[in-house]
Amino acid sequence: FRFKDSLAEDLRSADLVISHAGAGSCLETLEKGKPLIVVINDKLMDNHQLELARQLHRDGHVLCCNCSTLVETLRLMDLSALKPFPPGQPEKFALFLDKVFGFQ
């Protein structure tokens, strides 16, 4: 999609998501429990997306490829090997902030 206000309905009905490696796109998809293939744009300078994609791949949560290997990744993929992404724990971050700012 070039631009869409929300992908929530599309994610809800998807069997597989193919996305760039933006943090929002990856985390929203994984939080919905959908299998994800992350396609890295290796032409970007200072590619911070690459770090996230590689870590999620190392942790077994996503399949990772680039544009030239996408077809091969689709052909060989084993979605059953992907591990569920653990749910977030925002309360831990809130406790950390409370300690840092002396509210606790």
Side-chain angles (χ1 to χ4, degrees):
F1 302 102
R2 286 186 75 79
F3 176 78
K4 201 168 189 182
D5 287 334
S6 173
L7 294 176
E9 183 56 39
D10 299 294
L11 286 174
R12 212 175 351 271
S13 64
D15 293 321
L16 171 67
V17 175
I18 301 171
S19 175
H20 73 136
S25 299
C26 290
L27 295 177
E28 187 175 2
T29 300
L30 292 172
E31 287 170 351
K32 299 267 190 288
K34 299 299 181 170
L36 174 61
I37 296 177
V38 175
V39 181
I40 296 169
N41 180 352
D42 46 16
K43 295 189 180 4
L44 290 177
M45 290 176 50
D46 240 1
N47 194 353
H48 63 279
Q49 291 184 2
L50 180 60
E51 295 174 36
L52 175 63
R54 283 187 177 157
Q55 188 61 53
L56 290 172
H57 180 71
R58 275 193 295 269
D59 292 345
H61 302 300
V62 304
L63 297 174
C64 191
C65 65
N66 58 38
C67 289
S68 63
T69 60
L70 176 59
V71 171
E72 181 81 357
T73 300
L74 288 166
R75 198 170 57 75
L76 299 175
M77 71 182 178
D78 177 9
L79 299 179
S80 68
L82 294 176
K83 297 177 185 173
F85 190 71
Q89 298 176 324
E91 63 280 353
K92 286 187 175 181
F93 183 64
L95 287 173
F96 168 76
L97 288 178
D98 284 349
K99 287 180 185 176
V100 168
F101 291 107
F103 295 130
Q104 206 175 35

